[in-house]
Amino acid sequence: MSSGNLQGSQTLIKPAFSEKEATELVERVFGLKVSAIRSLPSYDDQNFHVHVSRSEGTADCADEYVLKITNCEDSQNPELIEVQTQIMLFLNVEGFPSATPHLTKDGNIMSLESLGTGPVTKKYMVRLLTYLPGMTVATISTNPHILYEIGKLAARLDKTLAEKFHHPSIKSLHRGKFIWNLANVPLLEQYIHALGQNSYREVVEQVIQKFKDKIVPKLRNFRACINHGDLNDYNILLDSNTASPENPQYRVSGILDFSDMSYGYYVFELAITIMYMMIESKDPLSVGGHVLAGFESIVPLTTEEKDALFLLVSGRFSQSLVVASYTSLLYPENKEYLMITAKTGWKHLLRMFDMGQEAVEKIWFETAKAYMNNEPV
């Protein structure tokens, strides 16, 4: 995901580089010879999977990269992109499997490049990131073990950043009206018309109102940190560390897409992760307990944070579903990618509300408690 100002999307901020233009950009800016290139699906940035040919003097050069071209709105905030990239470098050193930038020919981690001519010229920040192999969570049948590990990963990541990461431009992560910050669920009122008049809209309106009444007044009581903000089932890579195809054991091998990073709260990261892990699960309501158990093995929640979890998960569902509907009106050619969450997301959100907060939390908290008591789950 990416740009926080959806109104800006009306000016078509997404880059539109052709494969030929992207190839020329890699060779001119980064000094690498492209042997193959293909476009990757994206929200409102543009990404390419790039294969390069090795040449003399580049023995340590990777063979595969992701060319990331940031949308023209976010490209106007180079401090933010700088911090996000430095966080990726920092996390890699700390043992988190994240991509790292290949420097430009001038020795920089990014370059501002133009597309178009005359009054329609737009500028985009460009980076070349190492390509991380692996299968996404979306392509496997998740199990309690990997859900627990993903919850643990989310907590470790936020805790490490809160305790160890420092940068002169770190304040740029205070992103105000950024639509993907979970604190900004009330901003969905500006875009809810994209849903039309139906039962979906009625549920989202309930979520927004409950969020205003029960979450917003309590935000100051949650523990603050830096959130990755988008640990979804396509941004977490796995590999299998067993030779048994009948019973594969997975481990996290990569963390992708740091463009939604912002200051938030530990419980935000947990809620976002639970929501996305529910999307592809065959037993979505049980997911929260396993992710919660992993998260609390590193960062136990306070009572107030636990009380907020149901509405925060519902809030993230609402953000994803409303923004996807709105953005697909602007980019109908990208509708299939934009509406991935909607395929099962509405069903999960409506079921959560039909069951009610108490019943859903009972499943989550009892599952997490079983881990603490070393009971089978």
Side-chain angles (χ1 to χ4, degrees):
M1 297 171 195
S2 172
S3 176
N5 181 3
L6 294 184
Q7 300 293 355
S9 297
Q10 294 174 339
T11 61
L12 301 181
I13 63 174
K14 185 172 181 175
F17 284 71
S18 67
E19 289 185 357
K20 181 180 178 181
E21 289 167 329
T23 297
E24 184 276 332
L25 192 131
V26 171
E27 296 181 350
R28 175 174 54 82
V29 176
F30 298 97
L32 298 176
K33 181 65 177 176
V34 175
S35 58
I37 189 169
R38 67 179 178 87
S39 179
L40 296 171
S42 59
Y43 221 84
D44 53 14
D45 295 333
Q46 191 177 20
N47 301 321
F48 292 90
H49 184 184
V50 180
H51 291 256
V52 302
S53 301
R54 290 180 181 269
S55 58
E56 290 185 19
T58 59
D60 60 344
C61 176
D63 291 320
E64 297 179 66
Y65 294 93
V66 172
L67 175 66
K68 189 167 188 65
I69 307 173
T70 302
N71 67 79
C72 63
E73 179 187 307
D74 288 344
S75 292
Q76 297 175 36
N77 191 351
E79 284 191 346
L80 175 62
I81 301 173
E82 164 81 18
V83 168
Q84 291 169 345
T85 311
Q86 292 298 334
I87 284 176
M88 293 160 66
L89 287 164
F90 165 80
L91 289 174
N92 199 269
V93 171
E94 290 291 320
F96 293 86
S98 52
T100 55
H102 181 86
L103 299 183
T104 69
K105 290 194 292 187
D106 297 329
N108 300 312
I109 62 173
M110 57 188 179
S111 177
L112 189 63
E113 299 294 324
S114 300
L115 181 66
T117 57
V120 295
T121 299
K122 294 180 179 179
K123 294 184 181 297
Y124 304 96
M125 199 65 75
V126 173
R127 288 170 291 169
L128 193 64
L129 306 174
T130 50
Y131 178 82
L132 299 179
M135 63 190 83
T136 64
V137 172
T139 62
I140 70 160
S141 179
T142 55
N143 55 45
H145 169 75
I146 192 59
L147 292 171
Y148 179 92
E149 290 301 316
I150 289 170
K152 190 175 179 179
L153 169 76
R156 283 182 54 236
L157 191 152
D158 285 16
K159 191 170 189 286
T160 301
L161 289 175
E163 294 177 352
K164 296 183 179 182
F165 182 75
H166 307 282
H167 191 276
S169 300
I170 197 169
K171 289 184 179 180
S172 64
L173 292 173
H174 289 287
R175 301 177 69 176
K177 299 299 182 180
F178 181 54
I179 192 64
W180 292 112
N181 189 301
L182 200 42
N184 289 329
V185 165
L187 294 183
L188 295 178
E189 290 177 329
Q190 301 175 47
Y191 312 106
I192 200 173
H193 63 271
L195 300 178
Q197 296 290 342
N198 49 45
S199 58
Y200 293 164
R201 178 168 177 163
E202 291 173 7
V203 170
V204 172
E205 287 174 339
Q206 288 183 54
V207 172
I208 294 172
Q209 190 57 53
K210 289 177 181 291
F211 201 96
K212 287 179 177 178
D213 295 341
K214 298 183 179 182
I215 301 296
V216 174
K218 295 182 179 179
L219 287 175
R220 66 178 69 90
N221 298 327
F222 299 156
R223 290 167 298 166
C225 64
I226 296 171
N227 293 149
H228 175 281
D230 197 16
L231 289 175
N232 67 47
D233 44 340
Y234 287 88
N235 284 341
I236 299 175
L237 298 176
L238 307 173
D239 66 16
S240 176
N241 58 6
T242 178
S244 170
E246 296 83 15
N247 185 31
Q249 296 296 312
Y250 298 106
R251 67 178 183 88
V252 175
S253 62
I255 308 167
L256 305 178
D257 197 352
F258 288 76
S259 59
D260 281 2
M261 297 203 81
S262 64
Y263 269 105
Y265 305 92
Y266 283 109
V267 69
F268 280 13
E269 195 80 89
L270 172 61
I272 291 167
T273 306
I274 288 174
M275 175 263 166
Y276 283 121
M277 292 305 106
M278 290 177 66
I279 293 298
E280 302 291 343
S281 175
K282 295 178 182 178
D283 186 14
L285 287 178
S286 72
V287 163
H290 303 298
V291 177
L292 172 62
F295 196 93
E296 287 205 293
S297 72
I298 304 297
V299 180
L301 297 188
T302 66
T303 300
E304 285 185 303
E305 289 166 342
K306 282 188 176 181
D307 290 344
L309 193 56
F310 175 87
L311 275 177
L312 290 174
V313 173
S314 302
R316 185 51 165 209
F317 267 118
S318 300
Q319 283 180 316
S320 183
L321 295 165
V322 171
V323 172
S325 295
Y326 179 81
T327 311
S328 65
L329 296 178
L330 303 176
Y331 300 105
E333 72 282 359
N334 201 26
K335 184 174 182 178
E336 183 177 356
Y337 174 76
L338 294 170
M339 299 297 285
I340 286 174
T341 301
K343 291 179 181 178
T344 56
W346 284 115
K347 179 177 67 176
H348 297 338
L349 178 59
L350 266 59
R351 187 179 178 197
M352 285 176 62
F353 259 67
D354 285 344
M355 290 184 63
Q357 180 171 346
E358 185 176 347
V360 173
E361 287 182 341
K362 186 173 188 290
I363 297 172
W364 291 349
F365 297 152
E366 287 187 356
T367 300
K369 186 178 180 181
Y371 279 88
M372 294 178 62
N373 296 336
N374 294 314
E375 299 171 3
V377 292

